[in-house]
Amino acid sequence: MSSLTVDEAPQAASHVHYLNVKFGVKSWLFTTDHKRIALLYLASITFFFFVGGAAAVLMRLHLLTPGGLLVEPATYNKLFTVHGILMVFFFLIPAIPAVLGNFLVPMMIGARDLAFPKLNLLSWYVYILGGLFTLYAVVAGGVDTGWTFYTPYSSTYSNSHVIAAALGIFITGFSSILTGLNFIVTIHKMRAPGLTWFRLPLFIWAIYATSIIFILGTPVLAITIVLVALERLFHIGVFDPALGGDPILFQHMFWFYSHPAVYIMILPGMGVESELITCFSRKKIFGYKFVAMSSLGIALLGFLVWGHHMFVSGQSMYAGMVFSILSYLVAVPSAVKVFNWTATLYKGSISYDAPMLYALGFIGLFTMGGVTGMFLASLGVNVHVHDTYFVIAHFHYIMVGGMVMAYLGGIHFWWPKISGRMYPQGWARFAALVIFVGFNLTFFPQYILGFLGMPRRYAVYPAEFQVLNVMSSAGASILGVGYLIPLIYFIWSMRYGPVASANPWNAKGLEWQTPSPPPTENFEEIPVVTEEAYDYPVREAQVA
Amino acid sequence: MPEELAATAHQFEDLAQQHEADELGMWVFLGTEVMFFGGLFLGYTVYRHVYFGAFEAGSHLLDLLLGAVNTSVLIASSFTMALSVYAAQKGRKKTLITCLILTMILGSVFLGIKGVEYGQKFHHHLVPGYDFNPEGNFPAHMSLYFSFYFIMTGMHALHMIVGEGLLLVVLILAAKNRFTAAHHATVEVVGIYWHFVDIIWIFLFPLLYLIGGR
Ligand SMILES: [Cu+2]
């Protein structure tokens, strides 16, 4: 039976909460309430997600025929650059931390708000400012360097709007830094009485680990971008070999951030996953401490493997070997998580509500992405499939199959808390299924394409690759529809959805002990924590 | 203590928690700054290693005297900053204001001298990307040294300017009697920042001015 309980009484949501305490545009644009800021982020990252998605749709349309259907090759370069920049910096990186993290961190630890509410609002404005610069670069004529901005092409030769886009990313980076700083201080200093570190929800551990990467990684990207921009403006030769500079140094500095950034993009998803799996198995998580520590392990080891992006860039063979071995090592904590989630499912009383469907999809797709990551970490295989669609498929299985699934699962899980309304379960399950099918149809063929040798970032391809490319494009159209369905029913539910109770999933965790939607200060009274996380009743008791 | 409660922001339980959060926030922020400058130091180290001769020659074109004076000025400003924090802890408003003003003056002196040095570089055609045409023979890639000289000291100066702004805010708050012996976290936090910016210079001075001995 479903664990869903819907409170139909209309007076249930008539209490004063963060949504109805004030109205009007000003009350939103000047809010310091972490829950409202989370919604500002939700709206803006959804916008960027669909703009980035539109670029992907155009690319997949273009690749329907070997000669290219739609655009000039130069425009194609701009499409994949825009897609990459928007999806990485304006969707994936802020998605779970800035939306769900902002909404949940204070509530999960029993605090009234984050430590620095004004800084939190500032981070949203910084994000928007960075977004405007990037959109300007797109509208003014685009950028063609790829999201990686490799020098000396980006710093010297490209004729596109590199500086505006780079500035956009630089600025947005500070929004990540502020968010990470806020989370670290809040988690350290503002936990409710009795909420010790090892009683924290695993989502908090994941967000904490992510914040460490925000803090240590993002500034390196910032200075790297500054150097590229300065070189482009003044021709000073930091990365330009013609002037004595070293383009490989750029790659080291870029990947020193951008590999850990991969974990910024997946760790929060893993945190959501831990919450969903326990709740819908009605079982305590298997190996709490291992799951918690593996988040920190991933954050720290993640800083030591950047060189696996540079196996064919001309770094020394010995460096390549070390980076290869370390890349295998970083898979261990990820595997710990997957095995512990699976062990949690074992003998749980599993219910297949919509959030759980996303969570189960995550496990499968993330595992496939992770295992193909192992292929790529081994030197010999990497050289064979380097810069092919195999790589594209690999990281889309992690980023889209993993992170976007977890993000959607999380939104479906906490939507009753966020909006105070339920969404139609049938449609939500249907959408999860459509997304799963569409995703695999889009990206599985790309593994094969890459293995057969189709390189990434080309506007044309040999005729024998057409069947697989058409499959991929067909899948993309299904995937696109799959993403639109939740957009529609979430908007619908805000007005017409049945009123949600305080704890519709019967979940553990402090955020479910306060009304839906929560009052501005989250709790009537700061709760005192006396039990471990996920203290679900043992199964025997439930069955009887 | 009603005035103490009034100073606590709504998200905190009490003033002590708020102070701890403020200080931890600044330390975490300085962590990001270490990584930011770390990227620059990495680039510097790589090119100094590859083009040591050019870096040495470039270093010898800097004005050692002005650099040394500036180093002492900055250390003195750290001292007056530490005195400001001490005065705030003891609740001595007059001393606090005097020391803050002294710190700001020393910071401005530093920036002024830095400006003079920059002017000299423009005068001697030592500005990469704008006018790089030194007199006499000079090793290839010496412009890289000056690129890093300008970027590193420029980033540092930018942080100094931000620091001056922060000091001004603290000064205004102090003049408005906003600090008590129990409530002065803002002074401490700005102090931590100011010391950090000084420490960056302590690394920059030998790395830029003293290559290969003088
Ligand atoms: Cu990587």
Side-chain angles (χ1 to χ4, degrees), chain A residues 255 258-263 302 305-309 327 330 394:
Chain A
W255 288 114
S258 290
H259 182 81
V262 170
Y263 295 114
V305 300
W306 75 88
H308 64 214
H309 297 269
S327 302
V330 80
H394 154 69

